[in-house]
């Protein structure tokens, strides 16, 4: 979800252990943001108004010691995207592209619920890649599993600015949320999506019969008037990052679900809702549907904030909300098989001062029998992390009846511990972090990378060893090492890989490898991927002005003398964050998601005014009159034909 959205709507931490009074970080954050930046940036603001002329064609050679499989471009931002020299790029699929037979080209002037349900959704975030057998012509095939995190009504609907939402628009927005499963085929080096593939599927905030499973399923606190048993939910939403399990299912993480509720309650859920920021009131859907109004349905928010498992090979299968993985603002759910066969999921709760978790399945992964893994996610142990100053991580189990998780503290079952995961973790003394986003394990070496995107609210006296800057405007990346590659371990080590921000500005306190280039630094790490050469690809979601650059993808070395060196690989069009970095199984293609192009029109000097459907700051990627900006999946390949992990 866009940094700006979170800045404006979600700036108050909800962890009671964190101060919510404005800090110097807020003041600086304000200073660095929006119109005020023009004066501040001086020459840099002028540079930002210049297009990155020819940056894809005439990039400067990089003098770093690393092998040059691509050449970086200069920092900057303009209306389009830029891939580093030596990389080919293509758009694979955009918001509105038809998924099913008989659906025509997208017409943004003729949107309807049924039409949107048949098309690729809005604001693509996570990208999963599930390989399929080659076709008869020997062409590579796969399924992309793509989340659609949120919608931006002003950019989505004609004439929406300055008037109230209609019930139909709210329903169209719901239909544009969720996820898409879409088949792709590689035709002569270009990925084309297959309209009408039998695998193509939309899951939305309107999808009925999403099953609640695991310890919290059926709990009275999950029961509503539409679902008196507490077992079936309509819809999933704010699906941010996610994961593909070792058995090839797709996990859609429900992140900022609080924003979709309105109303008030002073009933038994009031304190619980407060800890999750419910109701956020970002969307007016509750004016038209009781389920989004907590005055009418106080339990409904408890049915969101879960990790949802979908079998992409079976389009008829019901998605399942796996309650054993806890309820919080799930950024993602990347996993790895431990040496003993148990499967471990690493997860961030993306809120200022919230926590890092891992879930360890009780059962073991069976590589020979896919069906045997079907319900592995219903039984296991959820742990929350305490990062100690001596460099150790203590993974503390959230188990009903153990430690403080007892009736004395208001927990009567494991289901309740999971519904109130955050409060349970508070009681265990977990370490409040600087907004944990993607947590990416590396199966090869037992290391895990935690993207801590930023925290303008951390004051200097709230800093600790694992969150050393207050305010933390640019974020950092923590590396966890599991002993002997045992991902099930409850005691690990941690250290900081990089502290983000401009290394040339001493006040920022950035720390990078010595060969990081001028274009190599970034801020606000969000999502990540790792290649088989143990290099970390980081996509960002920070303000263009604060980072003096568009969002993009950077590649960070993690080993040897190169450790911490970073190089720019891709730049987004203005307003966009980059999500979902995902290598194909053969590492020949690097997929990324360009999310919310054209947001923040005021912050982009050449536009300098609100970005709207009629007057957007960019019309990426179509650049066609009348077509608003569209989020899209982009595929990068190396022009020399090598894979991304080859030198
Ligand atoms: Fe949806 Fe935490 O980004
Ligand atoms: Ca984000
Ligand atoms: Ca994210
Ligand atoms: Ca990832």
């Amino acid at each position: 979800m866009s940094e700006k959205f979170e800045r404006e709507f979600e700036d108050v931490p909800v962890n009671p252990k964190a101060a919510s009074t404005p800090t110097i970080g807020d003041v600086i954050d304000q200073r660095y943001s929006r119109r005020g930046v023009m004066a501040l940036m001086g020459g840099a603001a002028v540079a930002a108004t210049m297009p990155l002329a020819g940056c894809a064609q005439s990039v400067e050679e990089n003098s770093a010691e690393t092998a040059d499989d691509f050449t970086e471009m200069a920092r900057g931002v303009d209306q389009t995207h830029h891939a580093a020299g030596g990389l080919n790029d293509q758009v694979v699929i955009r918001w509105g592209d038809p998924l099913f037979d008989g659906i025509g080209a997208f017409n943004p002037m003729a949107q309807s619920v049924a039409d949107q349900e048949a098309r690729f959704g809005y604001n693509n975030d996570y990208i999963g890649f599930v390989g399929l057998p080659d076709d008869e012509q020997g062409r590579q095939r796969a399924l992309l599993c793509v989340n659609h995190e949120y919608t931006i009504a002003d950019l989505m609907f004609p004439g929406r600015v300055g008037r109230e939402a209609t019930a139909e628009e709210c329903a169209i927005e719901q239909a544009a949320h969720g996820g898409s499963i879409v088949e792709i085929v590689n035709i002569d080096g270009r990925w084309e999506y297959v309209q009408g593939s039998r695998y193509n599927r939309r899951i939305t905030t309107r999808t009925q019969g999403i099953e609640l499973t695991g310890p919290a399923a059926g709990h009275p606190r999950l029961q509503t008037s539409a679902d008196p048993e507490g077992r079936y939910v309509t819809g999933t939403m704010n699906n941010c990052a996610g994961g593909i399990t070792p058995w090839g299912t797709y996990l859609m993480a429900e992140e900022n679900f609080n924003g979709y509720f309105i109303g008030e309650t002073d009933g038994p859920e009031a304190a619980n809702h407060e800890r999750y920021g419910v109701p956020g009131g970002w969307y007016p859907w509750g004016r038209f549907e009781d389920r989004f109004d907590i005055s009418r349905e106080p339990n409904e928010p408890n049915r969101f904030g879960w990790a949802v498992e979908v079998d992409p090979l079976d389009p008829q299968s019901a998605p399942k909300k796996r309650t054993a993985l806890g309820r919080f603002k799930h950024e993602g759910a990347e996993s790895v098989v431990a040496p003993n066969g148990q499967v471990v999921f690493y997860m961030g709760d993306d809120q200022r001062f919230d926590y890092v978790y891992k879930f360890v399945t009780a059962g073991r992964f069976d590589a020979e029998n896919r069906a045997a893994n079907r319900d592995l996610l219903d039984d296991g142990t959820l742990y929350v992390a305490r990062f100690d100053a001596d460099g150790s991580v203590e993974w503390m189990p959230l188990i009903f009846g153990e430690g403080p998780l007892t009736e004395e503290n208001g927990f009567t079952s494991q289901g309740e511990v999971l519904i109130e995961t955050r409060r349970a973790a508070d009681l265990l003394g977990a370490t409040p972090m600087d907004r944990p986003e993607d947590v990416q394990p590396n199966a090869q070496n037992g290391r895990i990378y935690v993207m801590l995107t930023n925290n303008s609210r951390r004051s200097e006296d709230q800093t600790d060893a694992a969150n050393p800057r207050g305010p933390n405007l640019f974020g950092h990346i923590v590396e966890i090492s599991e002993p002997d590659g045992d991902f099930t371990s409850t005691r690990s080590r941690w250290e900081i890989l990089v502290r983000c921000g401009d290394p040339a500005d001493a006040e920022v306190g950035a720390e990078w490898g010595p060969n990081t280039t001028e274009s190599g630094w970034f801020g606000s790490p969000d999502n990540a991927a790792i290649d088989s050469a143990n290099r970390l690809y980081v996509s960002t979601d920070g303000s263009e002005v604060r980072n003096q650059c568009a969002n993009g993808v950077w590649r960070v070395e993690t080993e040897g003398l190169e450790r911490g060196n970073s190089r720019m690989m891709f730049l987004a069009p203005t307003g966009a964050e980059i999500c979902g970095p995902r290598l194909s199984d053969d590492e020949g293609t690097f997929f990324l998601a360009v999310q919310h192009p054209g947001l923040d029109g005021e912050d982009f000097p050449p536009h300098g005014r609100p970005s709207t459907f009629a007057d957007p700051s960019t019309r990426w990627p179509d650049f066609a009159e009348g077509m608003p900006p569209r989020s899209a999946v982009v595929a990068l390949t190396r022009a020399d034909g090598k894979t991304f992990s080859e030198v």
Side-chain angles (χ1 to χ4, degrees):
M1 171 157 284
S2 104
E3 173 68 19
K4 174 178 173 172
F5 205 67
E6 286 175 320
R7 224 163 49 221
E8 293 192 348
F9 294 96
E10 206 205 1
D11 215 21
V12 181
V14 293
N15 188 333
K17 286 192 279 192
S20 58
T21 47
T23 67
I24 184 67
D26 294 326
V27 177
I28 298 170
D29 201 32
Q30 264 333 100
R31 214 184 53 152
Y32 268 93
S33 65
R34 318 215 41 180
R35 292 183 191 86
V37 80
M38 290 292 291
L40 253 172
M41 285 178 70
V46 176
T49 68
M50 308 295 284
L52 292 170
C55 84
Q57 299 96 325
S58 60
V59 287
E60 289 168 38
E61 284 299 315
N62 179 358
S63 59
E65 306 287 302
T66 49
D68 280 343
D69 50 350
F70 60 80
T71 45
E72 296 176 276
M73 46 264 172
R75 306 181 73 79
V77 56
D78 65 10
Q79 291 180 319
T80 194
H81 71 277
H82 300 273
L87 300 179
N88 296 327
D89 62 280
Q90 64 153 125
V91 170
V92 180
I93 190 165
R94 303 158 293 186
W95 167 50
D97 281 338
L99 296 181
F100 305 108
D101 285 333
I103 308 296
F106 180 53
N107 177 359
M109 302 301 289
Q111 297 181 56
S112 70
V113 175
D115 186 69
Q116 178 61 74
E117 283 174 340
R119 299 179 183 279
F120 194 69
Y122 204 86
N123 272 353
N124 40 211
D125 197 298
Y126 177 74
I127 302 173
F129 181 95
V130 177
L132 295 174
D134 290 351
D135 70 9
E136 311 86 66
Q137 290 114 291
R139 301 182 302 194
Q140 208 182 345
R141 295 158 68 228
L143 300 178
L144 292 185
C145 302
V146 182
N147 284 348
H148 303 295
E149 189 180 23
Y150 77 113
T151 47
I152 307 164
D154 287 0
L155 279 173
M156 192 173 174
F157 299 118
R160 172 61 178 271
V161 178
R163 68 165 168 80
E164 296 279 290
T166 67
E168 194 196 13
E169 283 170 343
C170 292
I172 294 169
E173 289 188 77
Q174 292 167 17
H177 276 68
S180 294
I181 295 165
V182 58
E183 183 179 338
I184 55 171
V185 58
N186 193 306
I187 301 174
D188 301 327
R190 243 187 107 79
W191 289 100
E192 307 283 349
Y193 84 89
V194 182
Q195 184 175 355
S197 161
R198 71 183 183 88
Y199 295 108
N200 290 0
R201 181 177 189 183
R202 281 303 318 281
I203 294 162
T204 76
T205 314
R206 302 172 61 78
T207 298
Q208 296 191 355
I210 297 182
E211 197 178 341
L212 287 156
T213 73
H219 195 282
R221 295 176 66 184
L222 299 183
Q223 296 169 0
T224 63
S225 37
D227 176 29
E229 305 291 318
R231 295 194 178 270
Y232 291 95
V233 183
T234 296
T236 178
M237 64 206 181
N238 212 270
N239 307 90
C240 189
I244 298 295
T245 64
W247 52 98
T249 57
Y250 159 36
L251 284 175
M252 308 167 70
E254 295 182 325
E255 195 191 17
N256 293 298
F257 63 92
N258 62 311
Y260 297 82
F261 294 93
I262 64 168
E264 55 189 319
T265 177
D266 53 9
E269 293 299 333
N272 173 36
H273 289 342
E274 190 177 350
R275 182 66 180 85
Y276 287 89
V278 173
W282 305 348
Y283 287 84
W285 302 353
R287 298 215 308 263
F288 307 104
E289 284 183 70
D290 287 355
R291 64 180 172 132
F292 298 113
D293 181 349
I294 60 169
S295 320
R296 296 171 192 278
E297 292 292 348
N299 285 350
E300 189 71 34
N302 290 343
R303 294 144 65 82
F304 295 88
W306 304 104
V308 188
E309 186 178 18
V310 180
D311 184 353
L313 298 182
D314 180 1
Q316 263 64 56
S317 60
K320 292 178 174 162
K321 299 199 181 195
R322 299 295 192 181
T323 66
L325 277 65
R327 177 173 167 268
F328 45 89
K329 292 188 178 179
H330 280 275
E331 170 74 20
E334 302 271 22
S335 59
V336 65
V337 181
N340 72 356
Q342 288 176 286
V343 189
V344 184
F345 292 78
Y346 290 91
M347 303 177 289
D349 181 355
D350 182 6
Q351 184 107 41
R352 290 165 181 82
F353 303 104
D354 263 290
Y355 308 131
V356 173
Y357 295 84
K358 76 175 174 184
F359 175 79
V360 181
T361 60
R364 283 151 210 251
F365 171 57
D366 185 342
E368 308 301 316
N369 180 4
R370 186 171 188 259
N373 306 304
R374 191 170 42 213
D375 293 319
L376 272 183
L377 290 179
D378 281 344
D379 191 9
T381 305
L382 181 65
Y383 299 88
V384 67
R386 194 187 69 222
F387 292 83
D388 290 331
D390 65 359
S392 60
V393 185
E394 187 75 30
W395 293 100
M396 302 176 291
L398 282 77
I399 299 174
F400 170 65
E402 286 192 10
L405 308 184
T406 57
E407 292 194 27
E408 211 165 74
N409 284 314
F411 297 105
T412 59
S413 66
Q414 181 64 17
E416 214 149 28
V417 167
L418 295 167
I419 290 167
E420 293 193 68
T421 299
R422 282 183 169 181
R423 189 167 70 86
D426 295 341
L427 288 164
L428 289 170
T431 303
M433 307 297 285
D434 287 344
R435 289 189 53 201
E437 301 254 21
D438 215 350
V439 186
Q440 186 69 44
N442 182 348
Q444 299 190 128
N445 61 9
R447 297 199 179 151
I448 299 104
Y449 296 92
V450 185
M451 306 301 119
L452 295 159
T453 197
N454 57 57
N455 184 351
S456 57
R457 289 270 175 157
R458 189 180 292 276
S459 63
E460 208 170 343
D461 59 13
Q462 288 173 312
T463 57
D464 57 38
N467 301 276
R469 285 185 291 180
N472 181 3
L473 298 181
F474 298 93
H476 57 292
I477 300 175
V478 163
E479 180 188 68
I480 297 172
S481 304
E482 299 285 25
D484 304 319
D486 179 7
F487 295 94
T488 69
S489 169
T490 57
R491 206 163 165 80
S492 319
R493 303 288 302 167
W494 71 269
E495 59 184 288
I496 290 176
L497 176 65
V498 292
R499 295 190 195 193
C500 303
D502 184 353
D505 182 347
E507 268 184 50
V508 167
E511 287 178 8
W512 297 94
N515 290 334
T516 296
T517 58
E518 204 163 300
S519 293
W521 73 265
F522 57 83
S524 301
D526 191 336
N527 297 123
I530 287 171
D531 71 16
S532 56
N534 299 326
R535 295 180 300 195
L536 184 68
Y537 299 81
V538 180
S539 67
T540 66
D541 177 17
S543 102
E544 291 169 7
V545 283
R546 198 196 294 159
N547 296 326
Q548 304 158 40
C549 190
N551 285 301
V553 178
W554 280 260
R555 190 175 71 193
V556 184
E557 303 289 333
T558 67
E559 296 189 313
L561 292 173
E562 292 290 334
R563 184 173 163 87
N565 288 336
S566 172
R567 298 175 67 210
M568 180 194 284
M569 196 168 125
F570 184 87
L571 286 182
T574 182
E577 70 170 283
I578 301 296
C579 311
R582 165 65 52 167
L583 286 154
S584 59
D585 290 347
D586 64 6
E587 301 190 330
T589 304
F590 188 96
F591 294 97
L592 58 88
V594 174
Q595 187 185 134
H596 55 73
L599 195 69
D600 297 356
E602 297 101 317
D603 289 351
F604 179 53
H607 193 73
R609 55 192 184 275
S611 186
T612 65
F613 182 96
D615 179 28
S617 61
T618 176
R619 293 188 186 274
W620 190 90
D622 305 274
F623 296 104
E625 201 49 44
M627 184 61 80
R630 300 205 266 175
S631 54
V633 173
V634 168
L636 304 178
T637 49
R638 276 175 61 170
D640 62 11
K642 291 184 177 176
T643 70
F644 278 84
S645 53
E646 284 176 284
V647 174

